[in-house]
Amino acid sequence: MRDDTHRDGPPPFDRPFEGEDTKQRVYSTILHTREPMAVSEIAERANCSDESARTHLSFYADLGIVIRHEGRPVRYERNDEYFEWRRVNELAREHTVEELQIRVSELTDRIETYCEEYDADSPADVDVLEFDAAQIDDVYVDLGDWATAIEERRLHERARRKAAGSTAPSHG
């Protein structure tokens, strides 16, 4: 008999929500959605009844965590704006204005380095096919890091303005 206990790692791939209650399973399922899903689809993925899923989704919709799309069938999707708002508030709460400004400056420097290195204004402007096959993996890593730096700078700048109580313009 094999040992199914995984104390130091993620749950088994075939049972990702093992040990979670229904509310947590519905929440975890909605976190992983990329498009609106019917209650029955969410219930199936969360391993619960449609009624339980509907109850929890209604609660999450009231909180703004999910967006409810009317229709037949009713569909729900993750509200990305809620999670961004939460992240900005967390950054503003956990860091001083000065720390946030330093981080914005560091990210700006990193972004400018990528702009110079790739002679482009954004990762979307880079054509990876212009590089040798041996370089393509590194270019994709750089482009992913560059895009992440742009997003992180935007979030840190929003948090800095929130922490400062300012409406100062942000870095693009």
Side-chain angles (χ1 to χ4, degrees):
M1 184 168 161
R2 69 175 212 197
D3 180 12
D4 279 341
T5 58
H6 297 277
R7 296 186 224 298
D8 296 330
F13 185 74
D14 59 338
R15 297 186 312 274
F17 305 126
E18 188 175 342
E20 293 184 348
D21 65 21
T22 303
K23 189 175 186 178
Q24 290 171 317
R25 291 194 313 268
V26 170
Y27 182 81
S28 294
T29 299
I30 204 71
L31 284 180
H32 293 95
T33 64
R34 297 289 179 240
E35 58 190 39
M37 292 175 58
V39 171
S40 60
E41 295 172 278
I42 294 168
E44 183 178 330
R45 290 184 185 189
N47 193 27
C48 67
S49 70
D50 288 5
E51 193 54 41
S52 288
R54 192 173 291 108
T55 298
H56 296 302
L57 289 164
S58 177
F59 172 75
Y60 293 137
D62 288 345
L63 293 176
I65 295 170
V66 299
I67 299 169
R68 177 186 164 112
H69 297 278
E70 297 298 331
R72 291 197 149 265
V74 170
R75 295 181 156 325
Y76 290 88
E77 72 176 309
R78 179 185 64 222
N79 182 356
D80 290 332
E81 290 177 12
Y82 166 82
F83 291 98
E84 181 174 308
W85 168 82
R86 206 168 108 179
R87 174 79 170 125
V88 167
N89 282 317
E90 178 183 286
L91 288 168
R93 186 178 57 251
E94 294 177 358
H95 301 282
T96 66
V97 173
E98 293 76 21
E99 290 170 335
L100 291 165
Q101 183 58 52
I102 289 168
R103 185 68 179 139
V104 167
S105 295
E106 291 169 352
L107 291 164
T108 298
D109 290 345
R110 187 160 64 181
I111 292 164
E112 289 173 358
T113 299
Y114 283 127
C115 288
E116 291 169 12
E117 181 178 343
Y118 288 98
D119 192 28
D121 293 329
S122 77
D125 296 336
V126 177
D127 182 0
V128 295
L129 297 179
E130 293 179 4
F131 295 87
D132 297 335
Q135 294 177 293
I136 288 180
D137 287 341
D138 292 335
V139 171
Y140 275 121
V141 168
D142 284 352
L143 297 180
D145 183 59
W146 187 359
T148 299
I150 291 169
E151 179 64 11
E152 282 298 305
R153 179 179 69 181
R154 188 179 68 77
L155 295 175
H156 280 77
E157 178 59 20
R158 279 189 59 197
R160 185 199 63 77
R161 288 193 325 257
K162 179 177 180 55
S166 166
T167 57
S170 101
H171 290 72

